[in-house]
Amino acid sequence: MALVTLRGIRLAYGLAALLDGIDLALNPGERVCIVGRNGEGKSTLLKILAGRIHPDSGESTRTDGLVTAYLTQELPEDVHGSVFDVVADGLGENGRLLERYHHLSLEAAQGGTAALEAMGRVQAELEAIDGWALQNRVETTLSRLELPPDQPFAELSGGLRRRVWLARELVRNPDLLLLDEPTNHLDIAAIAWLENMLAGTAMTMVFITHDRGFMERLATRIVELDRGQLYEHPPSLEALRQRQAERLETEVRQNAEFDKKLAQEEAWIRQGIKARRTRNEGRVRALERLRQQRAERHERQGQVRLALKPEQRSGRRVIEAERASFGYDGVPVIRGLDLLLQRGDRLGIVGPNGAGKTTLLRGLLGALAPISGSVTLGTQLEIAYFDQTRAQLDEDATVQDTVGQGRDRITVNGVTRHVLSYLEDFLFPPARSRQPVSALSGGERNRLLLAQLFLRPANLLVLDEPTNDLDVETLELLETLLIEYTGTVIVVSHDRAFLDNVVTSTLVLDGQGGCEEFVGGWSDLPERVTAPLLETRIQASGPTVGAPALSTPQTPAPPDRSPAPPKPAARKLSYRDARELEQLPGRIEQLESEREALAGQLSDPELFRNAPDRVPELQTTLQRLEEELAAAYARWEALESADS
C-alpha cells in the first residue's frame, strides 16, 4: 500500500500552473529522486508531500500515523540553543522535556543543588513517557553524526548546521524522509557518509539533488518535473537523458503538426465574404478551441546559453606560491604551500569543512598576506569571483537591476545587448526578470550570480561551490563552458563528478594545515589521499537509528535514573560475563556483515523492479539486525565499563 498518493494535484502562482494535474504514489522503501530545471517546482512538490502547503485542487492521501521528516534547502535563521536543544526539539514537547533535563544535569554536575532537586521532578515526568528511550535516540543520533551536543547552534558552519538539522529530523524516526539538496555545504567525507547511511536505511525517501553520483547511488526511481507534468524514468542519468530527448523530439513534431493545422484554419477564416457566408459554424468553434490550446501551451524554455571569453590574455604565470603559509594572528591554517598556476590551468581545491579553503583563496588572490613564504600574482590579471554565500545579491533588487545596474543595455563579450535579452540566455523570461531576488529559488539565484559573473571581462575565474542548487542540465553546460574557457580557473567543489569533468589538477587540503597537488580530478587521486578524506567523520561515529554502521561505533549507555548518580564501584566480572565480553566483538562483526550485505540488497534498484514483494521482508530483517546490533553494542559497553 502506498504511503502517500497524490492525484490530480494542481498549483498555480499567478496565471502559470506550476503543477498541472500531477499524480504520484510513494511505496514503502522507495528512494525517489525528483529532477527538473530550476524554478520548475521541485521544492514546492516536496512541501506538498510534507503537508507544508496545500494545492489549489487535487487529492492527497497518506497512511494513518505517517511520520514525515523534511530537510529544507534553506534552514531557518532564528534558531537558538545548543546542538542538543535543536536536535531534541524534533521530538516536540517530549524533546523540550529532554532539553530541560540535559541542562539541569549540566548544572548539577557543577554543584548546583537547586538543579539537583529539579532533576528529580523532571525524571519522574520522563519515566512516564519512556523518555530514556528518547534520550538514547537523541544521543545516539548526535554521536553518529559526530555533533558536539553542547556547542551553540549559531556558532556552527553551514555544513554542520545542515547535519544538525538532519539529526533533528532523524530522531523523529520517520517513515518518510524528504530531502531538498541534502549535499549542499557538505564536504566530500560528509557526502560519502550520508550516501552510505541513506543507502542502508529502510525509510522511504524523496530527494532533490544536483550531485549526480549521489543521485545514481541512491535513487530507485527518478521522476522528472517539466512544465507542471511528472515523467517516470529508471534510476540512471543515461536513461533519463535518452527518454527526455525522445519525449522532447515527439513534442516538437506534434507541436509542428498542430501549428500547421492552426495556420490552415486561420487562412480559411480570413477568406473572402462568399467563403465566410458559407462557412461551417462548427469549424469556427473548432478554430476557437485551437486558438485557446495554442495560447495555453507551456513552451519549454531553451537551454542556458553560457559564453565567456577573456578580453585579454593574462601573463603565462598566473599565481606562484613558494612555501607560503596563511592564517590569522600569526597562527597558520595552511602551511608550506608550493604552487605554480599557469594560464589555461583549471585547479580544483578539496578538503574537509574548516580546512581553510576560503583562507587559501584569499591568500592566493592577494587579499591575505602570507605569514611566511611568498605569493606572486601574474601580469594583466582580471579576476571574477563566484561567492557560494550569494552575499553579492541584493534581496530587494529586481533580477534585471541586479545585472543591468539600472541600465537597459549592457556589453557582453564586446557586444551591446538589451539586459532582458541577456537574462533570457540564463532562462529568466522578461516577467521573471522584473521580480525581486527574494522570489528566486536557490538554483535561480546561482544562475543569476553566473549571469553577473560572465558580464565581467575576466581571465581568472574563481568559483566557490558553483554547483550548489544548479539543475543537472545547467551544471553540465557550465562544465562545458569551463572546459572550453581559454582563461584560468580555480574551483572549490565537493562535487566529485564535476571535479573529474573540469579540473586539470587538484589541490588537496588535509584539514591539518597540509596541502598537496595532484594531476587530474577526484578519481585520479591516490587512495592514500582519498581514504583519510572519506574517513575523517566516520572513525569516531556511533550508529544512527535505522542506519548502517561504517566503523566500530559505540552506543551511549542508558542514562542513570537517579538525580545524583554516584559513580559505581568497579567490580570483577563473573566467568560467564567475562566469556560473553570475549565473544561479543565477533558477534558484533557478524551482525555488521549481515547488515551490510542486506543494506546492499536494499540499495539495488533492480530489487524494486524485479522483486518488489521481497522488499518488506528484507526491511523487517534489516530492522531486526539493527536492534540486535544496538543491543550488542550496549551490552558490550556495559561489560567493558564493569571490567575497567
Side-chain angles (χ1 to χ4, degrees):
M1 177 181 176
L3 297 181
V4 179
T5 303
L6 304 181
R7 297 187 184 89
I9 296 297
R10 190 179 189 282
L11 180 67
Y13 293 118
L15 298 177
L18 196 61
L19 305 175
D20 194 7
I22 67 168
D23 298 326
L24 178 65
L26 301 177
N27 297 310
E30 279 194 304
R31 295 192 295 272
V32 179
C33 180
I34 303 176
V35 301
R37 288 181 166 183
N38 298 131
E40 288 285 355
K42 301 187 297 294
S43 296
T44 300
L45 179 54
L46 274 194
K47 290 175 183 176
I48 290 176
L49 289 170
R52 299 284 183 92
I53 61 176
H54 300 286
D56 298 332
S57 59
E59 180 184 2
S60 173
T61 58
R62 57 188 62 219
T63 57
D64 293 337
L66 182 72
V67 179
T68 302
Y70 180 30
L71 179 67
T72 59
Q73 187 176 137
E74 301 291 341
L75 301 184
E77 295 183 359
D78 56 343
V79 179
H80 306 287
S82 68
V83 169
F84 185 96
D85 296 339
V86 174
V87 174
D89 196 57
L91 296 171
E93 290 298 326
N94 293 342
R96 284 183 275 281
L97 192 60
L98 286 177
E99 293 172 36
R100 188 180 173 198
Y101 177 82
H102 180 75
H103 289 288
L104 287 172
S105 65
L106 293 177
E107 293 177 27
Q110 301 297 322
T113 55
L116 197 61
E117 294 176 2
M119 280 179 67
R121 295 189 295 272
V122 176
Q123 283 179 347
E125 295 182 60
L126 286 172
E127 292 281 1
I129 61 169
D130 194 19
W132 308 120
L134 296 178
Q135 177 166 313
N136 185 61
R137 191 191 300 174
V138 172
E139 291 177 346
T140 301
T141 305
L142 288 170
S143 174
R144 188 64 188 90
L145 271 68
E146 204 179 42
L147 295 169
D150 298 314
Q151 186 169 348
F153 180 82
E155 295 179 0
L156 301 180
S157 66
L160 274 176
R161 289 188 183 195
R162 289 190 72 77
R163 284 166 56 197
V164 171
W165 214 258
L166 177 61
R168 181 183 187 274
E169 297 301 312
L170 288 176
V171 296
R172 302 176 61 197
N173 201 16
D175 305 301
L176 174 62
L177 180 62
L178 307 174
L179 303 170
D180 196 346
E181 294 288 1
T183 64
N184 275 2
H185 309 295
L186 297 185
D187 58 27
I188 289 175
I191 292 171
W193 172 85
L194 184 62
E195 282 181 2
N196 285 309
M197 188 275 285
L198 295 177
T201 185
M203 287 182 292
T204 303
M205 280 180 283
V206 182
F207 62 97
I208 300 168
T209 185
H210 66 272
D211 190 312
R212 290 156 291 183
F214 188 86
M215 177 194 305
E216 294 209 279
R217 168 81 193 278
L218 289 178
T220 60
R221 179 162 56 115
I222 294 176
V223 294
E224 178 194 3
L225 185 57
D226 180 18
R227 291 165 290 169
Q229 299 294 318
L230 275 183
Y231 301 93
E232 295 274 348
H233 299 284
S236 159
L237 270 176
E238 184 178 351
L240 167 66
R241 293 188 186 100
Q242 181 178 348
R243 288 193 177 189
Q244 184 184 67
E246 291 171 353
R247 186 184 79 246
L248 294 178
E249 184 179 343
T250 300
E251 180 181 313
V252 168
R253 186 172 61 252
Q254 291 174 343
N255 285 346
E257 294 172 355
F258 179 94
D259 292 344
K260 180 179 179 181
K261 180 178 180 181
L262 177 59
Q264 291 171 344
E265 294 303 291
E266 292 287 5
W268 169 79
I269 200 67
R270 289 194 298 270
Q271 288 179 14
I273 187 66
K274 181 178 180 182
R276 290 200 300 272
R277 195 178 296 139
T278 60
R279 69 190 174 197
N280 184 306
E281 291 301 323
R283 189 173 177 181
V284 173
R285 289 192 294 270
L287 173 58
E288 291 298 329
R289 288 193 295 270
L290 289 176
R291 288 171 173 170
Q292 182 66 23
Q293 291 173 32
R294 182 62 184 86
E296 293 175 352
R297 181 191 296 173
H298 195 171
E299 297 282 5
R300 180 178 173 86
Q301 288 180 286
Q303 291 184 328
V304 174
R305 292 187 290 276
L306 304 179
L308 185 62
K309 297 178 181 178
E311 287 193 0
Q312 66 174 3
R313 286 161 50 122
S314 67
R316 181 171 180 79
R317 182 182 65 175
V318 177
I319 299 175
E320 184 173 7
E322 295 182 297
R323 305 303 299 164
S325 296
F326 307 103
Y328 304 94
D329 299 324
V331 179
V333 176
I334 303 295
R335 298 186 182 92
L337 171 66
D338 288 316
L339 177 70
L340 176 59
L341 192 66
Q342 301 189 78
R343 184 178 62 237
D345 287 348
R346 298 189 298 274
L347 175 69
I349 301 177
V350 300
N353 286 339
K357 295 186 289 293
T358 300
T359 299
L360 175 60
L361 287 181
R362 295 188 65 209
L364 291 177
L365 299 180
L368 180 66
I371 295 175
S372 61
S374 65
V375 175
T376 304
L377 298 181
T379 59
Q380 297 180 318
L381 281 186
E382 295 176 331
I383 302 171
Y385 184 80
F386 181 96
D387 176 18
Q388 67 159 320
T389 65
R390 308 182 188 125
Q392 304 160 1
L393 296 178
D394 180 354
E395 294 285 311
D396 297 326
T398 65
V399 173
Q400 179 177 351
D401 286 341
T402 298
V403 170
Q405 299 296 307
R407 296 167 297 170
D408 288 335
R409 306 194 73 80
I410 54 178
T411 301
V412 185
N413 293 328
V415 178
T416 301
R417 300 181 58 185
H418 196 284
V419 64
L420 293 180
S421 170
Y422 175 69
L423 283 168
E424 285 185 334
D425 288 351
F426 293 83
L427 303 187
F428 291 107
R432 194 66 167 163
S433 295
R434 296 186 178 97
Q435 290 186 316
V437 170
S438 59
L440 301 182
S441 68
E444 288 176 310
R445 291 173 184 232
N446 268 18
R447 285 211 312 266
L448 181 57
L449 276 177
L450 291 174
Q452 263 190 327
L453 185 77
F454 293 169
L455 273 179
R456 306 170 187 169
N459 49 37
L460 173 58
L461 285 180
V462 181
L463 308 174
D464 193 355
E465 290 291 352
T467 66
N468 283 352
D469 302 322
L470 289 182
D471 57 67
V472 172
E473 186 177 309
T474 305
L475 179 57
E476 292 176 345
L477 288 168
L478 177 61
E479 288 177 349
T480 302
L481 170 77
L482 295 179
I483 291 169
E484 296 174 350
Y485 179 58
T486 57
T488 307
V489 178
I490 301 176
V491 57
V492 175
S493 181
H494 298 134
D495 188 321
R496 293 154 290 180
F498 185 80
L499 291 169
D500 281 341
N501 293 338
V502 169
V503 305
T504 56
S505 64
T506 303
L507 186 63
V508 179
L509 311 187
D510 61 10
Q512 306 299 319
C515 44
E516 189 173 1
E517 186 182 10
F518 300 88
V519 174
W522 172 262
S523 298
D524 300 306
L525 297 177
E527 186 178 357
R528 68 173 177 83
V529 174
T530 58
L533 286 176
L534 293 173
E535 293 171 3
T536 299
R537 306 195 184 280
I538 295 172
Q539 297 300 329
S541 302
T544 297
V545 176
L550 303 181
S551 59
T552 308
Q554 296 184 4
T555 302
D560 195 324
R561 303 320 198 249
S562 61
K567 186 175 180 179
R571 64 179 178 84
K572 183 175 177 62
L573 293 178
S574 67
Y575 172 79
R576 177 179 295 178
D577 287 347
R579 179 66 174 163
E580 182 182 0
L581 178 59
E582 181 182 337
Q583 294 175 342
L584 268 172
R587 172 63 175 159
I588 289 173
E589 185 175 349
Q590 177 189 350
L591 288 171
E592 283 185 335
S593 297
E594 292 178 12
R595 185 174 64 173
E596 287 176 8
L598 195 58
Q601 293 183 54
L602 283 169
S603 65
D604 185 359
E606 295 297 324
L607 173 68
F608 292 84
R609 285 198 294 268
N610 301 331
D613 53 324
R614 291 194 59 212
V615 173
E617 176 189 349
L618 293 177
Q619 289 173 338
T620 301
T621 305
L622 178 62
Q623 183 66 33
R624 176 181 57 77
L625 286 172
E626 289 168 347
E627 292 170 357
E628 289 184 22
L629 189 56
Y633 271 121
R635 179 61 174 163
W636 176 59
E637 186 170 354
L639 292 175
E640 279 275 312
S641 301
D643 192 43
S644 60

